[in-house]
Every structure is written in C-alpha cells, then in structure tokens.
Amino acid sequence: MKILVTGGAGFIGSAVVREIINGSRDEVVNLDALTYAGNLQSVGLSADSERYVFEQVNICDREALDRVFQQHQPDAVMHLAAESHVDRSIDGPAVFVQTNVVGTYNLLEAARAFYLQLSEEQQQNFRFHHISTDEVYGDLHGTDDFFTESTPYAPSSPYSATKASSDHMVRAWGRTYGLPILVTNCSNNYGPYHFPEKLIPHMILNALDGKALPVYGDGLQIRDWLYVEDHARALLTVLKNGQPGETYNIGGNNEKTNISVVETICSLLEELVPNKPAGINQYRDLITYVKDRPGHDVRYAIDASKIKTELGWQPQETFESGIRKTVEWYLSNSVWWKNVLSGEYRLERMGSGR
Ligand SMILES: NC(=O)c1ccc[n+]([C@@H]2O[C@H](COP(=O)([O-])OP(=O)(O)OC[C@H]3O[C@@H](n4cnc5c(N)ncnc54)[C@H](O)[C@@H]3O)[C@@H](O)[C@H]2O)c1
C-alpha cells in the first residue's frame, strides 16, 4: 500500500510515518507545508527508508495536490495536516479556517478527482481517512458520561469548530460522492516529539529550566490521555480494517485532571533529575495558577468500545508507563527540543527529497 500522509512532519503525523515505515512494508508520501509545527527531524531514521518520500506542499494549493496524486498514485490518504493549538486558534482563527476547512475541502476535491480515474477494483480499495479530535463534541460535566460516535457535535473553540466543519465535509463527501471515507476522533495525545507549546512538554521543559509551571484556572479540567504511538497504531488499524463510511472514537481511558498531570511530571522529575536548578526546593513549588482560557472545556472522556470490540485495538501503554517514557524521552532528546525552542529547526529545513 502507498499511503499519502498529510501533516507527517507534525506530532501525530510523524508517529504515523514512523509506525508505517518500522511496522509494515507500506510506502509513505509525507505531504506537509512545514508550518511552525512541522519538523522533519521528528520523522527520524524513517526518512532514510526507500519507502519514504517528502513533499513540501500546502493543502490549500489545489494544483500542487493534483500533481502529488498523479505523481504518486496513492492507495489511501491519512489526513492529519491541521492547525492544532487551541490557544493559537483563540488569538488568530483565520489560519484555522484556512487550513482546517478550506485545506480539507481542497484535499477532498483532489482525492475525489483522483478517485474517479481509478479502476473499479482500485476504487473499492481506496480510503480517505480523516483524523480528528474529541474536542468536536464540546465538553462533559458529569463524571459518568462519555463521548460515543453518535454524540452530537458542540465545539467550543475556533480550533474545534474548524475540525468539526472538516469532519462534516468528509462525511458529506462520502455520502454524496461515494468517496470511501473513515473518520476517527481521538482524545488528547502525549509522547515523544510533542511541540513544546503543548501542556506536557511545556511543563517538563519549564521545570527543567526552573521556570513557573502555569496551570489554567483551578487545574481541575479533565482530559483523557493517550500515548501517541498507541494512537498511530489505532489509526493504521482503522485504515486497514475499518468499515468505509464509519467513525471510530479512540481514547486511552486515562482521565486525569490537568493539575494531577503536572504533579505526576514533577514527581517523575524529582526521581529522574534530583539536581534541580538553583533556588528550587521541589519542582512542584513552580506550579502557578493563571487566568483560565476562555471557553475552556471542563471534561473530555472517550468511549472507545467500538474500535476495541469491532477492530480489536487496545492501547499498549497505561498513563503511568507512557508519561514515564515521555519524560525520559525529553531528558534524552534535548537536541530535538533545543532546536525547536531556539527556532533552529526552521532554518534546517531539508527541502524536498528523502
Ligand atoms: N494532538 C492531539 O492531542 C490530537 C488529538 C486528537 C486529534 N488530533 C488531530 O490530529 C492531527 C494532527 O495533530 P498534531 O498534534 O500532530 O498537530 P501538529 O500541529 O503537531 O502537526 C500538524 C502538521 O500539519 C502541518 N500543516 C499545518 N498546516 C498545513 C497546511 N496548510 N498544509 C500542509 N500541512 C500543514 C504542519 O506543518 C504540521 O507538520 C490534527 O488534525 C489534529 O486535529 C490531535
């Protein structure tokens, strides 16, 4: 199979690329515009494989998308390219509308034009897999409620509203034009190569630097955390075995308050890096409560029973094992995050080619 992965230089996309190259014989075309969130170093050694090619293309550029489809003739699309940071979407929603809505529309149209040229057998095997988030469902207030595949959409932020819009278009292109689509909605991911603006890496790196650990509001917002490599394996399971037209929710059943995540990181750092920056007694002393984010959702929790029972997927990491691996990864991969923090990674763009 040749898989066109959009956003393959991002956090989850790069995990998908590594999983395909290391765990299968499939080929990857990594299509990414390399925005601030894209970093080809995250693909790691997989970039050296004969089965990997990179295309620096923006999904808003329809002509370039048509050229990529014609040149590479993919068997499937896994669409992860997106603007993904909620705080940025509040400060500047325009680029979210552009990439998540207009870009997804362009990609759907390019995929549809390509699909129409395929033989009947190729059409049957073709898949357009759209990767989305549980944030499209809004938030939950009780403790025993879960998002299922039929939970109505109620997005709260510009980010989740644009993702919701893209989900609706993908389903409409399936229903109206017969494009064999798959949609997955996943909970919060964490793990290696996570951009330092996101909660977990931000806390690890600030703590190592003796800086404040800013926690929004009371820190009691609940997220359901999934280790990124478990998500990548789930996505490939859905791509290979999912029923066209269906939606699958993906989650780790690891509900944690934000403050307990930060406290866990502090405890792990106490154990792994006991030599603290000057003047710091305990890492947890760095925790500082800051004004809450507007529209901040209270609780997300995924019911992942459909993908588990129908497709046999199970996460391999618990939160405890995954967060330890993550902290250890940041401790032993300072070259990667120092390059990101300094902005060096943007100067080192390798251009096209492998
Ligand atoms: N991170 C999470 O916890 C999470 C959870 C569930 C779903 N998702 C979804 O998974 C997908 C990937 O998320 P992520 O965390 O890896 O995001 P990310 O921000 O780390 O990566 C996004 C990638 O898309 C690329 N990109 C952005 N705009 C583009 C454009 N116009 N054209 C081509 N490429 C472009 C960026 O360069 C980057 O490499 C997103 O669709 C997101 O909504 C994320």
Side-chain angles (χ1 to χ4, degrees):
M1 215 176 178
K2 187 185 277 187
I3 306 171
L4 175 63
V5 178
T6 73
F11 169 49
I12 302 172
S14 65
V16 169
V17 170
R18 297 192 304 271
E19 183 65 29
I20 296 172
I21 296 296
N22 298 330
S24 76
R25 302 184 63 184
D26 294 333
E27 294 173 48
V28 174
V29 179
N30 177 4
L31 183 154
D32 198 297
L34 298 182
T35 68
Y36 81 94
N39 186 349
L40 285 174
Q41 289 170 0
S42 305
V43 174
L45 294 176
S46 300
D48 295 333
S49 166
E50 292 295 324
R51 292 178 286 120
Y52 173 87
V53 267
F54 174 65
E55 289 278 3
Q56 185 167 358
V57 166
N58 193 309
I59 55 168
C60 297
D61 182 347
R62 173 67 198 275
E63 226 173 271
L65 290 178
D66 286 339
R67 198 260 308 149
V68 167
F69 274 99
Q70 290 312 321
Q71 187 175 330
H72 297 289
Q73 304 275 315
D75 301 297
V77 177
M78 294 179 83
H79 177 34
L80 297 105
E83 287 292 334
S84 70
H85 189 45
V86 176
D87 288 344
R88 283 179 189 259
S89 82
I90 295 168
D91 294 341
V95 68
F96 285 72
V97 174
Q98 201 53 34
T99 286
N100 299 357
V101 182
V102 179
T104 300
Y105 160 75
N106 271 305
L107 188 67
L108 278 166
E109 281 295 83
R112 181 164 77 94
F114 173 69
Y115 173 78
L116 288 172
Q117 299 170 1
L118 298 176
S119 68
E120 209 174 305
E121 192 193 340
Q122 287 170 322
Q123 285 190 342
Q124 268 169 17
N125 293 327
F126 188 79
R127 296 288 181 270
F128 185 102
H129 179 176
H130 178 61
I131 285 78
S132 192
T133 165
D134 61 353
E135 300 194 27
V136 296
Y137 299 124
D139 61 357
L140 300 164
H141 288 267
T143 48
D144 49 3
D145 223 6
F146 291 91
F147 297 133
T148 71
E149 287 77 2
S150 56
T151 300
Y153 276 29
S156 307
S157 70
Y159 163 64
S160 52
T162 56
K163 288 300 291 186
S165 166
S166 63
D167 293 12
H168 289 317
M169 279 192 296
V170 171
R171 293 197 184 96
W173 262 242
R175 186 82 191 265
T176 304
Y177 302 113
L179 195 66
I181 58 109
L182 294 157
V183 177
T184 48
N185 294 86
C186 186
S187 59
N188 276 40
N189 282 216
Y190 68 101
Y193 301 104
H194 206 179
F195 199 79
E197 68 186 353
K198 303 282 172 86
L199 178 78
I200 289 179
H202 187 56
M203 296 298 160
I204 298 171
L205 302 186
N206 272 20
L208 288 174
D209 209 12
K211 289 188 186 151
L213 305 179
V215 173
Y216 279 133
D218 56 10
L220 296 179
Q221 308 86 353
I222 296 173
R223 300 292 178 263
D224 177 0
W225 293 94
L226 181 67
Y227 193 65
V228 66
E229 290 170 12
D230 276 325
H231 187 196
R233 286 185 280 267
L235 294 177
L236 289 162
T237 303
V238 170
L239 181 74
K240 303 261 161 127
N241 304 318
Q243 199 57 30
E246 290 293 317
T247 295
Y248 298 88
N249 278 356
I250 306 170
N253 224 354
N254 284 309
E255 283 186 54
K256 305 280 170 201
T257 59
N258 285 347
I259 186 66
S260 76
V261 169
V262 177
E263 282 169 351
T264 304
I265 291 169
C266 290
S267 308
L268 282 165
L269 288 175
E270 290 293 344
E271 176 196 328
L272 298 168
V273 193
N275 278 340
K276 291 180 259 301
I280 309 297
N281 190 22
Q282 293 185 91
Y283 288 107
R284 59 169 50 229
D285 296 341
L286 296 167
I287 295 174
T288 315
Y289 291 92
V290 298
K291 189 171 179 289
D292 207 355
R293 167 195 276 168
H296 208 168
D297 286 333
V298 178
R299 173 173 171 255
Y300 301 142
I302 280 273
D303 175 351
S305 49
K306 180 172 172 181
I307 185 175
K308 287 181 178 168
T309 52
E310 291 186 15
L311 305 182
W313 170 82
Q314 286 288 346
Q316 293 178 14
E317 302 293 343
T318 61
F319 184 72
E320 288 63 36
S321 66
I323 191 73
R324 178 175 285 276
K325 275 190 177 181
T326 304
V327 173
E328 287 171 347
W329 187 87
Y330 279 89
L331 293 178
S332 46
N333 287 277
S334 58
V335 173
W336 182 86
W337 56 261
K338 281 184 178 160
N339 258 337
V340 174
L341 291 180
S342 69
E344 193 82 359
Y345 75 112
R346 303 207 73 177
L347 306 171
E348 290 172 4
R349 301 269 148 103
M350 289 172 245
S352 60
R354 288 197 289 119

